[in-house]
Amino acid sequence: QVQLVESGGGSVQPGGSLKLSCVASGSITDYHVIGWFRQAPGKRREGVAAIRISDAVTYYEDSVKGRFTISRNNAENTASLQMDSLRPEDTAVYYCAATVFTGSYHYPARDDLFDLWGRGTQVTVSS
């Protein structure tokens, strides 16, 4: 059973940056898409970004477009989320997830398609 482990979370001031990493215990090429999701206290889980493993096509939610960058390294079985210009509303637990589903989906909006999840890493943006 492949496992996903996130790291890189922490506390940062507004306008700062963090880079999250997601390491898979097996090959990420067994999956079609890796996604990043987040959940703030008292709120529903929401998608942030996703990347297609085969050709690195990316998907972003409007709230992070232009500020966050998702990438993957197939040789190292990792996916990353570079987060710049962070805002207090970005505060949440961030999860990476993987899916084998293919199709014309906007993957960040479809957490129901993802069946492999990490345990999350906390990101706090506060002055």
Side-chain angles (χ1 to χ4, degrees), residues 10 20-21 29 32 56 60 66 74-76 84 93 101:
L20 305 183
S21 294
T29 58
H32 181 59
Y60 294 97
N74 292 355
E76 296 183 354
D84 299 317
V93 177
F101 283 98

Side-chain angles (χ1 to χ4, degrees), residues 30-53:
D30 290 344
Y31 294 86
H32 181 59
V33 168
I34 296 283
W36 284 95
F37 298 82
R38 66 188 181 187
Q39 188 165 23
K43 294 189 175 182
R44 293 181 60 184
R45 184 170 61 197
E46 64 176 1
V48 175
I51 187 166
R52 208 153 62 188
I53 299 302

Side-chain angles (χ1 to χ4, degrees), residues 83-97:
M83 306 187 295
D84 299 317
S85 302
L86 283 161
R87 304 167 180 168
E89 54 264 38
D90 295 317
T91 295
V93 177
Y94 283 71
Y95 301 89
C96 68

Side-chain angles (χ1 to χ4, degrees), residues 18-30:
L18 282 173
K19 185 172 184 178
L20 305 183
S21 294
C22 174
V23 178
S25 60
S27 175
I28 62 171
T29 58
D30 290 344

Side-chain angles (χ1 to χ4, degrees), residues 39-124:
Q39 188 165 23
K43 294 189 175 182
R44 293 181 60 184
R45 184 170 61 197
E46 64 176 1
V48 175
I51 187 166
R52 208 153 62 188
I53 299 302
S54 60
D55 57 8
V57 168
T58 57
Y59 311 79
Y60 294 97
E61 287 295 272
D62 288 345
S63 59
V64 305
K65 208 173 284 185
R67 300 189 299 123
F68 290 11
T69 304
I70 189 171
S71 61
R72 91 299 184 237
N73 184 320
N74 292 355
E76 296 183 354
N77 294 311
T78 60
S80 298
L81 186 68
Q82 176 67 43
M83 306 187 295
D84 299 317
S85 302
L86 283 161
R87 304 167 180 168
E89 54 264 38
D90 295 317
T91 295
V93 177
Y94 283 71
Y95 301 89
C96 68
T99 179
V100 297
F101 283 98
T102 61
S104 300
Y105 304 111
H106 181 61
Y107 283 92
R110 295 295 306 273
D111 63 350
D112 60 304
L113 298 176
F114 291 79
D115 56 1
L116 180 66
W117 291 81
R119 298 181 68 176
T121 185
Q122 176 71 47
V123 171
T124 302

